[in-house]
Every structure is written in structure tokens, then in C-alpha cells.
Amino acid sequence: MVGIVVGSVVGLVVLLLFVTWLARRGRRGGQRFCGNCRQPQLPQWDRCYFCGWTPAARLEFILGPLAGHVVELREEVTTVGSVAGNTVVLADPAVSRKHAGIRRVDGGYELADFGSTNGIYVNGHRMPKKLLAGGDVIRVGNSELVFRRE
């Protein structure tokens, strides 16, 4: 019985050392750590291997009335429009009342136009729907924002 317990503990320690080694291998500066338990993370992980924490995505406004503001995408669906009740309210005549939404989809984020008059643009191209990647520049009305993943 003692042998099983000791073997399990040794196996767990070896596994943790291996995962830590993998997380550090091939990284030059900018080591990524979990925002919850502070364990090292591999770049391709979208969820912490140790505690299951998922990093939040955010929208950084670079042009328009909210320039300089950052909005964390914490909800399942984040809505953008010109009227109260949206997660992000843009006082802009080029923005429809319920313009667009961003929802979590399989560990990623999908931007969708809600049938707005002026549409949404991602990296300069008008799109009805797009799975977002870090660094994508989104244009809604007269506002530009950058989608970021931690």
C-alpha cells in the first residue's frame, strides 16, 4: 500500500516537472503565466492546465468616442449598439441600436453583425460574421477597436 502511495506521489511530481519544463521550453522572455494560479502556460493553451482558468479577452478602443478605453469580454455575449441595454454603448449616428455582438464559441470569440445598416469591418473587410484572432482591428461606425487575448 505504501508503495502505491509513494509511486503516485513520485509520478505526480514528475508530471508537474515535465509540464513546467514544456511551458518554459523554447520561450524567450515574455513567459506566460496563469492569471489565477500563476503556473507557467504553453502559448497554445487557452485554458490553464492546472486550475482550468480561462484568460479574458478584451477590446481596446483606438479611435472614436471611447478611444483609450478597454472593455473586458467577461460575458457569454457582449453586445455593441447605440442605445442603453448594450454592453458597449457607442453614441454615434453610424452605429445601429443593436449593431453587433461578440460571443464565446469553443474557447474563441465570434463577432457577428446583428443586421446593422453600416455593417462591421474586420481588418478593413466588411463581414457579417468572423471568428476573431488576437490583433484583429474591428470598425463599428466611427470607432475602431483591437481585439486582444491575454
Side-chain angles (χ1 to χ4, degrees):
M1 185 64 149
V2 173
I4 293 173
V5 172
V6 170
S8 297
V9 170
V10 168
L12 183 60
V13 168
V14 168
L15 177 64
L16 288 173
L17 289 172
F18 178 70
V19 169
T20 303
W21 174 78
L22 277 177
R24 292 183 180 177
R25 194 182 89 196
R27 301 280 299 177
R28 291 188 180 102
Q31 174 70 47
R32 228 177 102 200
F33 293 91
C34 173
N36 185 43
C37 70
R38 304 302 301 156
Q39 292 295 321
Q41 303 296 299
L42 287 173
Q44 65 269 26
W45 288 353
D46 62 354
R47 165 169 290 171
C48 178
Y49 179 82
F50 299 97
C51 70
W53 180 79
T54 303
R58 65 187 183 279
L59 301 174
E60 296 176 356
F61 286 82
I62 56 174
L63 236 163
L66 293 179
H69 286 78
V70 175
V71 174
E72 295 283 332
L73 301 178
R74 297 178 187 206
E75 308 292 323
E76 270 310 301
V77 177
T78 301
T79 58
V80 179
S82 62
V83 296
N86 288 293
T87 313
V88 178
V89 178
L90 293 172
D92 179 347
V95 175
S96 298
R97 291 189 294 168
K98 298 250 182 205
H99 200 99
I102 300 172
R103 70 181 176 118
R104 288 185 200 191
V105 179
D106 298 327
Y109 291 84
E110 181 182 62
L111 172 68
D113 188 346
F114 287 166
S116 66
T117 303
N118 295 320
I120 52 175
Y121 292 80
V122 180
N123 302 324
H125 302 285
R126 187 171 180 164
M127 299 185 171
K129 191 182 279 191
K130 166 117 175 29
L131 191 60
L132 295 171
D136 279 347
V137 177
I138 304 164
R139 185 166 188 86
V140 178
N142 296 310
S143 295
E144 279 192 4
L145 40 141
V146 180
F147 174 76
R148 302 272 189 218
R149 291 285 307 249
E150 290 183 8

